[in-house]
Amino acid sequence: MRATALALAALLLHATGALAQEQAADPTQDPNQVRAGAYVLDPDHGKITWSVNHLGYSTYYGQFTGVSARLDLDPKAPAKSRLTATVPLSGVLTGSQHLDQHLAGPDFFDAAKFPEATFVGTGVEPTSPTTARITGNLSLRGVTKPVSVDATFTQAGTNPIDRRYTVGFEGRTIIKRSDFGVSAFLPMVGDEVTLRIAGEFKAAP
């Protein structure tokens, strides 16, 4: 009986030690250690922050929420990776309900007619060990144009909250809203819109 108890205790200590080593090696900022596979964006931790010059007086900021995205990731061959994303245009947030409604209306996004913007990736070009340029086609308000996003890998590992394997990225791009037919109040309100993207992708079930 004593021998059995000692054997069980030894197994438990071994398992605990192995788990501690696994946790110590996790998370990682080394892209070579990231798991390949399919990922989906965590909607609670995936947002697009936009900014635009407002009448020359300030830089105005807002966000798109409710973004959904899928990432097929191959860290060993990044060029084979692909990203697709959908942005509900009724989900624009500025902190002003009146302005949110105006932006979703015909002057800007016309969300009743064009409820979503989509991005379909066409290529990934590594620019450093932790950065890449993601090219793709952005469709907004019935217009599709090529867009490139400068992306930075931040971290990968098991999320301590939900225990799911997670990969994080940040991105940045600048588009001209007039290219997509969003021309209201030009040039008083700026044509160039900066998009800053933050996303945590969970390994698909």
Side-chain angles (χ1 to χ4, degrees):
M1 188 73 173
R2 177 180 171 81
T4 301
L6 288 174
L8 288 173
L11 285 172
L12 180 60
L13 287 172
H14 176 75
T16 303
L19 178 61
Q21 288 180 353
E22 181 181 355
Q23 290 176 337
D26 189 20
T28 181
Q29 288 82 40
D30 180 359
N32 294 314
Q33 302 302 314
V34 178
R35 299 177 189 173
Y39 293 83
V40 292
L41 182 67
D42 177 354
D44 293 329
H45 298 93
K47 293 180 175 60
I48 301 173
T49 300
W50 54 264
S51 60
V52 65
N53 182 284
H54 184 253
L55 307 178
Y57 292 111
S58 68
T59 300
Y60 198 85
Y61 292 86
Q63 280 191 332
F64 293 109
T65 60
V67 181
S68 60
R70 177 184 173 91
L71 174 65
D72 293 300
L73 182 63
D74 187 343
K76 305 298 183 185
K80 296 181 180 179
S81 301
R82 287 293 181 269
L83 172 69
T84 58
T86 301
V87 183
L89 297 176
S90 59
V92 62
L93 296 175
T94 64
S96 165
Q97 185 176 4
H98 173 74
L99 183 54
D100 293 348
Q101 293 171 349
H102 189 190
L103 290 174
D107 280 345
F108 290 93
F109 300 127
D110 200 1
K113 187 175 181 180
F114 305 103
E116 297 176 337
T118 60
F119 177 85
V120 179
T122 56
V124 177
E125 177 190 358
T127 53
S128 84
T130 57
T131 61
R133 182 163 292 112
I134 302 172
T135 55
N137 293 314
L138 175 64
S139 297
L140 171 64
R141 199 174 159 129
V143 178
T144 300
K145 297 280 186 180
V147 169
S148 63
V149 178
D150 291 320
T152 300
F153 164 69
T154 54
Q155 183 170 280
T158 302
N159 186 300
I161 304 299
D162 61 15
R163 307 306 302 169
R164 292 179 63 187
Y165 190 78
T166 304
V167 182
F169 295 94
E170 294 183 353
R172 183 180 184 275
T173 190
I174 297 175
I175 64 171
K176 283 191 173 183
R177 61 187 181 97
S178 61
D179 286 347
F180 299 90
V182 186
S183 302
F185 305 107
L186 287 173
M188 294 181 296
V189 176
D191 193 11
E192 289 192 345
V193 180
T194 299
L195 303 176
R196 293 176 174 83
I197 303 151
E200 297 181 17
F201 288 81
K202 305 291 186 179

